[in-house]
Amino acid sequence: MTAPSRRGFLKLAGLALAPVPALAACQGGGVLNPGPLTSTAKLPEPFTLPLPKPTPARPVRTTAAGDHYAMTLKTAEARILPGYTTEIWGYDGTFPGPFLEARSGTPLIVTQTNRLPVPVATHLHGGITPPTEDGFPTDLLHPTGHATMAGHQGGHGMPAMHDPYAHIAEGRRDYRFPMRQRAATLWYHDHRMDFTGAQVWKGLAGMCVVRDAQEGALPLPDGDRELPLLICDRAFDADGRFIYPSTDPTLTRPGMDEAIAGGALGDVVLVNGVPWPYTEVAAARYRLRLINGSNARRYELRLDGPGEGGFVQIGGDGGLLPAPVRHQTLRVSPGERFDVVVDFGQYAVGSTVTLVNTAASGGPGQVMRFHVTRKASDDSAVPARLSDLPKLTPSGAHRRLVFSRNGSRWRINGRPFDPDTPLLRPRFGDTERWSILSVERHPFHLHGAFFQVLGRGAAGPGRYDVGWKDTVELSPGTEVHLAVRFDAYRGRYLAHCHNLEHEDMAMMATLQIT
């Protein structure tokens, strides 16, 4: 397949080339988003609340079919801010949801019961799953006693639609995740069409770590020195409730206030559900599994403490890198994961080290704090060689995608999302070259496969593009070139913007793997 030129493709998509300085960013300060939502609740002083350390959920049983878990999706009252209760929607009524620890090659069977007032669709982000288990946004699990129609009322200027291929369940369903994939940091979240942003904001997200023998043989920090960290932002009203300006608070009819059309940004940063927490660490190496679970906020994370500090990246979205990469700053877009080692042994006992976000100021500029409280022996290490990754060399089709906006409507290749009409039909087993251009800033996320970044514009991959990826940041006015191969399952998947408000406003494309 011969792809049209960049200029020609922009014309086909109904776009005009604009000089990069004239392009609006789509986070804070962009033309569609005047800034973060402002909390009116009394907020705690940063770094005064302890960090919760996730404990792996126990399977209800283990059989030849795999590890079985049960989750009930329900409303609950959570104490997120001191002195307030906040209604959440949670997997098992918790925020974040249960921490899942999976073994590569051992399937997870997760039985979900929906006791919320609305439908849900759970996506295991980073999971290589059959299309029926992937959380396609129209594959809904309805509450018991509610109609199981596959239609949607439409919103954001879109007509109502009916998806004849939707897999609909009522009350309860099993998600079967094969886990035929390497060790990696994943997460799961709601993916309901038109309402993903609002329902994730209410609490429908959780963490999942996949382990395998190859990674387990490495002398990396583990046990109490491994910290999964789900980072997200929220805003709270005077009663301690989440602020999310949907046009219909019942989340029955789609729509959101113009204030968050560019992406919902809160002024409170939560880590594992706690605002600006602290944790005590020994003067030793720690492994931090960083997940950006925010709707729209991107982070530029840096360690602020005595000395140079810094991160040693050992993994990303799709697991271990070939070799460690050192960073002073981590740029993390919504949906991305960074697996890093921090050596707190370089700091004196009694030191404090603050994880800050240099992409923001005030509350959103602070994330969490580490207190180095004691000396400790440390037999961990970061090997110079971590894993062997095959290099993908495209030999199949060359496809172009343009992420754009027409007024207040977000589009891919000039088209809104259509669940039953594929925009792309990749061939199973082929390694394709995808060139993705964005006229604003978007995190691109692919379901059903990992990819490798070949380059940005005429240059090579960026410093954060190493290894297997499923999410990558698109910078304004620059093409990102990817090597993509679907070789696990045939069927229907998605490519979309992982700014959840953009996703809800139809910035998704259906893929049919043939």
Side-chain angles (χ1 to χ4, degrees), residues 308-387:
E308 291 297 320
F311 309 92
V312 177
Q313 184 186 0
I314 58 172
D317 298 342
L320 290 175
L321 306 183
V325 178
R326 294 186 176 274
H327 302 283
Q328 286 301 116
T329 302
L330 293 175
R331 185 175 298 160
V332 193
S333 64
E336 278 190 296
R337 286 89 68 212
F338 280 79
D339 195 348
V340 302
V341 171
V342 174
D343 185 3
F344 290 105
Q346 65 186 303
Y347 302 105
V349 172
S351 300
T352 60
V353 183
T354 305
L355 186 63
V356 299
N357 171 28
T358 62
S361 59
Q366 306 290 327
V367 179
M368 66 174 293
R369 179 167 287 172
F370 301 92
H371 294 272
V372 184
T373 59
R374 61 197 184 279
K375 294 182 178 180
S377 61
D378 185 5
D379 59 359
S380 71
V382 178
R385 190 72 186 170
L386 295 166
S387 67

Side-chain angles (χ1 to χ4, degrees), residues 64-339:
D67 293 334
H68 298 253
Y69 293 84
M71 291 183 185
T72 299
L73 284 69
K74 59 186 178 181
T75 61
E77 297 291 331
R79 295 190 178 275
I80 299 174
L81 301 180
Y84 298 91
T85 58
T86 301
E87 182 184 90
I88 64 162
W89 290 5
Y91 296 99
D92 269 357
T94 65
F95 170 55
F99 176 52
L100 300 179
E101 190 172 72
R103 296 170 292 163
S104 178
T106 301
L108 292 185
I109 299 95
V110 181
T111 300
Q112 291 190 348
T113 301
N114 184 8
R115 292 183 180 166
L116 294 169
V118 298
V120 294
T122 297
H123 171 54
L124 180 60
H125 185 127
I128 303 301
T129 65
T132 55
E133 315 301 305
D134 191 55
F136 196 84
T138 54
D139 289 349
L140 300 177
L141 171 59
H142 287 262
T144 300
H146 286 62
T148 56
M149 295 292 291
H152 292 264
Q153 298 181 31
H156 315 299
M158 292 182 62
M161 66 176 66
H162 180 80
D163 179 7
Y165 304 109
H167 294 266
I168 303 297
E170 181 179 340
R172 178 180 299 176
R173 69 153 291 175
D174 291 340
Y175 282 96
R176 299 179 182 274
F177 304 128
M179 309 315 298
R180 291 197 291 267
Q181 58 190 96
R182 66 205 300 259
T185 303
L186 316 182
W187 65 303
Y188 60 94
H189 58 82
D190 182 67
H191 216 277
R192 178 191 172 198
M193 184 171 168
D194 296 326
F195 298 94
T196 298
Q199 294 186 187
V200 171
W201 192 273
K202 280 180 169 287
L204 289 174
M207 294 178 279
C208 176
V209 167
V210 185
R211 303 193 184 279
D212 66 15
Q214 178 194 16
E215 184 184 279
L218 298 177
L220 298 169
D222 59 8
D224 291 341
R225 294 180 186 171
E226 179 182 303
L227 298 178
L229 302 174
L230 178 66
I231 303 172
C232 60
D233 56 335
R234 298 291 187 268
F236 298 84
D237 72 10
D239 295 323
R241 295 173 297 194
F242 288 136
I243 298 173
Y244 190 91
S246 300
T247 53
D248 177 7
T250 69
L251 302 188
T252 302
R253 295 192 62 85
M256 65 187 73
D257 189 273
E258 187 177 303
I260 59 170
L265 303 175
D267 61 353
V268 179
V269 175
L270 307 178
V271 184
N272 296 354
V274 170
W276 305 296
Y278 74 89
T279 192
E280 295 182 353
V281 294
R285 295 181 190 87
Y286 280 71
R287 180 177 185 171
L288 310 183
R289 295 179 179 266
L290 302 165
I291 303 170
N292 184 350
S294 293
N295 282 31
R297 185 175 294 284
R298 59 192 293 271
Y299 297 86
E300 295 190 10
L301 300 176
R302 182 172 58 81
L303 291 170
D304 187 5
E308 291 297 320
F311 309 92
V312 177
Q313 184 186 0
I314 58 172
D317 298 342
L320 290 175
L321 306 183
V325 178
R326 294 186 176 274
H327 302 283
Q328 286 301 116
T329 302
L330 293 175
R331 185 175 298 160
V332 193
S333 64
E336 278 190 296
R337 286 89 68 212
F338 280 79
D339 195 348

Side-chain angles (χ1 to χ4, degrees), residues 12-27:
L12 289 175
L15 303 170
L17 283 171
V20 172
L23 300 173
C26 63
Q27 173 182 295

